[in-house]
Amino acid sequence: MIKNITDIDLMSVSALHEDYYGRKILSYYISYGTKYDFCRFFEVTSEENIAYIVQFNAVMIISSKAPLESDELMTFILMNKPFRVEAPWIVLENLCNIPGYKMLKRTKFEFTDHRPANFDERKLITDPSLDEIYDILHEGFPTLAEHGLWITEHSHKIRRGLSRIYLYNHCTTATVIYDVDDHVLIGQVATKSEARGKGYARDLLYWIGHTLNLQGKKVSLFALDYRESFYEEIGFKPVSVENVIQAE
């Protein structure tokens, strides 16, 4: 049974601290709590398992240690119509044929401790204009959230200390999507088209990984098929292959 929850302390749920999906749910819980219609939390109960779901705007994240009842979950997804659903394969394997969605493969990379050889910290901005960041990202990510939604999400998470955005040389950006339990997820890496091929993204990622590793944090990111070779070529370590489903 899937039910909306508003009166549970998700930080006390030990299973949510164990993997990416749980920590992603916790990042939204820490940022927004349970009071907003655009960020809703759900508990999925069965005789042998308790799972958790968050839907934040057009993204749905599912954390579960066991398969879920597929008909109920499929109905739930079709009713809420998220653009993307992220969940462990043990859940997604029963959703391969959900109408209107396609399965995408992505690789999880862990940062290795490269010291950036040519990084100029004078060109690094750690509190950039979000409008400037959005303009860079929008060029490379056509499915990026609408400007107002994106600004609201990231400004809120930055204020809560869960997210940081870096801007290098006013042309390359990368975002800490979350920092939970000393696990850091990096995403939204992009460079202006006229500055690509100069190594700025590589140098910024090396700096982020090295800096956060020194703080005792474990740093990772996800890459879809067409970006895998870039991260392999600059020395990041592929550690797992996962899937998401996304609206066609």
Side-chain angles (χ1 to χ4, degrees):
M1 181 177 67
I2 301 175
K3 66 175 183 178
N4 185 217
I5 52 175
T6 59
D7 58 352
I8 185 172
D9 178 13
L10 291 177
M11 293 299 293
S12 68
V13 179
S14 59
L16 293 177
H17 295 265
E18 295 176 3
D19 63 14
Y20 158 79
Y21 304 99
R23 288 189 286 269
K24 189 75 175 286
I25 289 173
L26 289 177
S27 73
Y28 286 118
Y29 177 72
I30 296 168
S31 294
Y32 298 100
T34 59
K35 298 179 180 180
Y36 296 95
D37 289 339
F38 60 80
C39 184
R40 295 177 295 150
F41 299 87
F42 301 87
E43 186 178 75
V44 189
T45 56
S46 64
E47 291 183 1
E48 300 179 354
N49 185 44
I50 300 178
Y52 295 92
I53 299 173
V54 63
Q55 178 153 359
F56 179 83
N57 290 324
V59 177
M60 182 178 290
I61 314 291
I62 303 171
S63 175
S64 180
K65 303 301 181 185
L68 301 177
E69 204 285 310
S70 57
D71 288 342
E72 181 185 25
L73 184 56
M74 187 176 296
T75 299
F76 181 76
I77 291 170
L78 291 173
M79 180 178 65
N80 287 280
K81 299 178 179 178
F83 174 72
R84 185 173 69 250
V85 180
E86 302 182 20
W89 179 245
I90 200 169
V91 174
L92 285 186
E93 64 180 336
N94 295 319
L95 300 174
C96 293
N97 298 316
I98 186 168
Y101 286 85
K102 60 184 177 182
M103 189 78 70
L104 301 176
K105 179 176 77 73
R106 66 182 185 179
T107 300
K108 183 178 181 180
F109 287 88
E110 287 185 355
F111 283 39
T112 49
D113 195 12
H114 290 285
R115 293 176 179 268
N118 301 309
F119 193 76
D120 186 349
E121 290 198 15
R122 295 171 300 178
K123 297 179 179 179
L124 177 69
I125 302 172
T126 56
D127 57 346
S129 159
L130 294 186
D131 289 326
E132 183 176 2
I133 298 298
Y134 185 86
D135 288 342
I136 296 172
L137 291 174
H138 191 260
E139 181 182 326
F141 296 96
T143 60
L144 190 68
E146 182 271 329
H147 177 269
L149 290 176
W150 186 89
I151 293 288
T152 298
E153 175 183 357
H154 286 280
S155 60
H156 204 98
K157 292 173 73 175
I158 289 168
R159 287 198 301 271
R160 296 294 188 277
L162 283 165
S163 178
R164 293 181 296 282
I165 297 179
Y166 302 99
L167 177 62
Y168 185 54
N169 206 28
H170 286 284
C171 65
T172 296
T173 183
T175 295
V176 171
I177 303 298
Y178 70 65
D179 184 345
V180 176
D181 298 338
D182 285 332
H183 286 262
V184 177
L185 179 71
I186 302 297
Q188 298 189 344
V189 180
T191 298
K192 288 182 178 179
S193 57
E194 65 268 22
R196 292 172 189 165
K198 298 181 180 180
Y200 294 143
R202 176 199 61 207
D203 291 345
L204 176 57
L205 290 171
Y206 281 178
W207 182 88
I208 292 171
H210 179 67
T211 300
L212 294 180
N213 280 336
L214 288 177
Q215 298 173 17
K217 298 181 185 293
K218 190 171 185 179
V219 188
S220 59
L221 59 77
F222 285 103
L224 294 175
D225 289 358
Y226 69 97
R227 293 291 287 164
E228 287 177 10
S229 61
F230 170 76
Y231 294 107
E232 289 176 343
E233 288 168 4
I234 66 174
F236 293 162
K237 178 183 176 183
V239 293
S240 64
V241 176
E242 304 184 12
N243 297 85
V244 299
I245 60 172
Q246 186 166 296
E248 294 180 325

